[in-house]
Amino acid sequence: MSQTNENGIPSRKYVPFSHSFEDPWAGESADEPGSVTLTFRFAKPTKVQIQRLQDKAVKNAAQAAKNLLLDIVHPDDKAAFTASMEEYPGIASTFASSIIKGVGISAELGN
């Protein structure tokens, strides 16, 4: 049985996803890149959200990934996530890939 919030609306379970990388522009010098770790909470995408992602990805994969992520990011993380996507545009694809892998989508079948 699914849980509901105080308004009777089904509540969603959010889990943290983290991504760490080196930003060569963030360090004091080119020899010392800055270490970046980003953690945001996301809900499991619905069937409709995955279908929308698949339909839109053919035309614009980056925008499809951003749309999915903005739909499923925890409301308390949304502003920070949006700011991080502005600073690091590649994180949308990275987080989306990890999330869709978690619902069974992968190009690695049989490899």
Side-chain angles (χ1 to χ4, degrees), residues 32-33 45 50 61 86 91 97 107 110:
E32 299 176 19
I50 292 296
E86 287 294 319
I91 67 166
S97 294

Side-chain angles (χ1 to χ4, degrees), residues 2-103:
S2 64
Q3 298 178 347
T4 58
N5 64 18
E6 63 277 357
N7 298 323
I9 299 170
S11 58
R12 297 182 84 176
K13 178 181 177 183
Y14 291 87
V15 296
F17 283 78
S18 293
H19 178 50
S20 297
F21 57 96
E22 298 296 321
D23 179 352
W25 297 276
E28 294 294 319
S29 70
D31 297 331
E32 299 176 19
S35 181
V36 177
T37 299
L38 301 171
T39 302
F40 302 101
R41 296 166 291 172
F42 296 94
K44 183 177 181 178
T46 64
K47 291 177 188 177
V48 171
Q49 289 168 325
I50 292 296
Q51 186 62 51
R52 188 178 324 124
L53 170 76
Q54 292 172 326
D55 291 345
K56 302 288 184 189
V58 174
K59 200 172 212 179
N60 188 339
Q63 189 61 50
K66 286 179 185 179
N67 292 345
L68 173 69
L69 295 170
L70 291 173
D71 280 350
I72 63 173
V73 70
H74 192 286
D76 294 343
D77 294 351
K78 194 168 193 170
F81 181 66
T82 301
S84 292
M85 282 195 302
E86 287 294 319
E87 185 170 2
Y88 301 109
I91 67 166
S93 295
T94 301
F95 278 100
S97 294
S98 183
I99 288 166
I100 64 172
K101 197 173 205 177
V103 296

